Amino acid sequence: MAEQDNSQERTEEPTPKRLEDARKKGQIPRSRELNTFMVVMAGVVGCGVLSDYMGRSMGRIMRASFRLERGDLFHPSALLEHSAAALRDGLLLLAPFLALMVIVALISPLLLGGWSFSWESLQPKFGKLNPLEGLKRMFALRGLVELVKSLLKVLLLGLVTAALLGSWKGELSRLVHQDLMAALASSLGFLWWAVLLLGVSLLVLVAMDVPYQLWDHRRKLKMTLQEIKDEMKESEGRPEVKSKIRQLQQERARQRMMEEVPKADVVVTNPTHFAVALRYDQSQGGAPKVVAKGTDFIAARIRDKAVAAGIPLLAAPPLARALYYSTELEQEIPEGLYLAVAQVLAYVYQLKTAQGPNDRPVPPGDLPVPEEYLQGRD
């Protein structure tokens, strides 16, 4: 019983299939603190880059709004046209800044978890309306972590704000002695630096939240030993998976076999339906081995590979069929075929030592193949 209980504990890391299924359901690690930091920093940088352009454009819009002809003041449609023009110009003025914010908001999720769109996550879950379930979530580990993060955020931002106000106390008090435009420019500068420093301070929370979100995501997806066994049975038990595995195994076996054809000494053919590649290594002793064999399409591929590598082809239908049916790959030929294969190898040796076309040996015919090795013939 103890062993069974231990098997139900979620102690195993999630498998790639489990992670992929969770991603399809929209369950990916997310960090609100990271997204907030990216948006705030993008806003600060955008304001810093576009401030001069936005300031001049805003001044132009305000001057145009207050410079009205006397007749326009008593014409309702003219006032609406001026208001619409000011609104249009204001939206066009903010368009680059808003576009930057939208782009950053879309890109920031890529930093942790990437993009994920799931219809399942959009479906309503009425169980969340249960007050008891809501209380459980509030007092769960994640709820406590979120509470601690909120308190830390308030404390951190409060300390940074207090430090900034303390260090800028003298400069802020001197604003009342400046003219309007200078005081406005100084105030905007103080505001920009304040937002920048407050945004940078969020890095502390980001450094704490991102590792926690990654850890919490994998913790939720951890599996029991039984779940891993069931997943393996389900994956291996599917007919299409088994068929795909067999197909890959056969393809790899054929690929390895084809790689051995250029190392053969001779290819015995039917000449079209069968092809068997033989290799004889005198240094290792023993009998010749079959390094490749096949019928029809595979036989054609073996012949093409042999021709490309300069391996001799010998048309000997009875011997080709006997070798194909009696010998497996990387096995020595049976004793009953020694004499026939010896004549073939002798022919190959003579062919390699021939000095010219006139010295080419005559291919051996009527090779001695015992009747019992031709059981597979048609």
Side-chain angles (χ1 to χ4, degrees):
M1 290 297 293
E3 182 178 356
Q4 183 177 0
D5 293 337
N6 291 334
S7 65
Q8 299 304 315
E9 295 180 1
R10 298 184 179 275
T11 57
E12 306 302 315
E13 291 296 323
T15 61
K17 182 179 182 302
R18 175 93 167 192
L19 294 172
E20 183 62 26
D21 291 343
R23 185 175 188 84
K24 291 179 180 178
K25 297 178 182 179
Q27 300 175 5
I28 53 179
R30 282 285 183 258
S31 174
R32 296 178 182 175
E33 311 304 330
L34 177 61
N35 296 340
T36 302
F37 170 76
M38 294 296 296
V39 171
V40 170
M41 296 308 296
V44 172
V45 173
C47 288
V49 174
L50 301 173
S51 60
D52 187 51
Y53 161 74
M54 293 176 67
R56 290 198 306 269
S57 300
M58 185 65 70
R60 178 178 54 80
I61 294 173
M62 294 180 66
R63 285 192 297 270
S65 299
F66 287 104
R67 289 177 179 174
L68 299 178
E69 298 293 337
R70 187 175 184 279
D72 293 339
L73 296 176
F74 301 98
H75 200 291
S77 61
L79 291 176
L80 290 177
E81 291 176 0
H82 281 290
S83 300
L87 179 61
R88 183 186 65 250
D89 293 340
L91 292 176
L92 292 176
L93 171 63
L94 294 175
F97 179 77
L98 295 178
L100 173 64
M101 300 299 290
V102 170
I103 292 173
V104 173
L106 292 176
I107 292 178
S108 58
L110 292 176
L111 300 178
L112 185 66
W115 283 335
S116 176
F117 183 81
S118 172
W119 286 108
E120 184 173 345
S121 61
L122 297 178
Q123 296 176 0
K125 297 180 181 179
F126 298 101
K128 292 185 176 181
L129 300 177
N130 189 343
L132 295 179
E133 293 296 328
L135 289 175
K136 290 181 180 179
R137 289 194 297 270
M138 288 177 59
F139 293 99
L141 175 62
R142 187 174 186 84
L144 295 176
V145 171
E146 293 298 326
L147 175 61
V148 172
K149 285 197 305 181
S150 299
L151 294 176
L152 287 177
K153 186 184 299 184
V154 172
L155 179 61
L156 179 63
L157 296 181
L159 291 175
V160 173
T161 303
L164 290 177
L165 291 176
S167 61
W168 291 343
K169 182 178 180 181
E171 289 81 355
L172 293 175
S173 63
R174 285 193 290 270
L175 290 177
V176 296
H177 302 293
Q178 298 179 3
D179 60 83
L180 178 61
M181 297 305 297
L184 181 60
S186 300
S187 299
L188 292 176
F190 286 134
L191 180 61
W192 186 84
W193 277 106
V195 176
L196 175 62
L197 295 176
L198 288 173
V200 172
S201 66
L202 292 177
L203 273 176
V204 177
L205 293 177
V206 173
M208 297 171 58
D209 188 54
V210 169
Y212 168 75
Q213 296 298 338
L214 293 173
W215 171 83
D216 187 58
H217 176 68
R218 296 190 72 89
R219 179 186 64 85
K220 291 179 179 178
L221 297 180
K222 278 191 173 182
M223 307 171 66
T224 64
L225 291 174
Q226 187 61 42
E227 287 176 337
I228 293 180
K229 293 178 182 178
D230 293 342
E231 182 182 296
M232 294 179 62
K233 290 180 181 179
E234 180 183 359
S235 299
E236 296 178 357
R238 295 178 182 173
E240 62 273 16
V241 175
K242 286 186 175 181
S243 175
K244 186 64 175 179
I245 292 175
R246 286 195 298 269
Q247 181 181 355
L248 291 175
Q249 290 175 342
Q250 292 173 359
E251 183 62 30
R252 290 174 182 174
R254 284 195 294 267
Q255 184 178 0
R256 289 194 298 268
M257 183 181 70
M258 290 298 173
E259 292 175 354
E260 295 297 321
V261 173
K263 304 176 185 178
D265 294 309
V266 64
V267 174
V268 183
T269 67
N270 193 35
T272 57
H273 297 296
F274 291 84
V276 180
L278 298 174
R279 182 174 62 208
Y280 179 52
D281 190 351
Q282 298 181 3
S283 62
Q284 294 184 356
K289 291 182 179 181
V290 172
V291 295
K293 68 174 185 175
T295 60
D296 299 328
F297 175 71
I298 302 300
R301 289 183 59 188
I302 292 175
R303 293 194 301 270
D304 293 341
K305 196 84 171 179
V307 171
I311 306 301
L313 301 180
L314 176 64
L319 180 58
R321 290 195 298 269
L323 290 169
Y324 180 85
Y325 288 116
S326 64
T327 313
E328 298 297 329
L329 291 176
E330 296 300 329
Q331 286 187 357
E332 295 183 354
I333 63 174
E335 186 176 352
L337 298 178
Y338 280 1
L339 182 56
V341 172
Q343 295 183 23
V344 171
L345 293 177
Y347 162 74
V348 172
Y349 176 75
Q350 295 173 5
L351 190 65
K352 291 181 178 180
T353 57
Q355 299 296 324
N358 297 329
D359 295 335
R360 291 178 64 87
V362 179
D366 194 19
L367 295 171
V369 179
E371 185 69 21
E372 61 268 21
Y373 290 102
L374 301 177
Q375 296 177 358
R377 66 181 178 181
D378 296 332

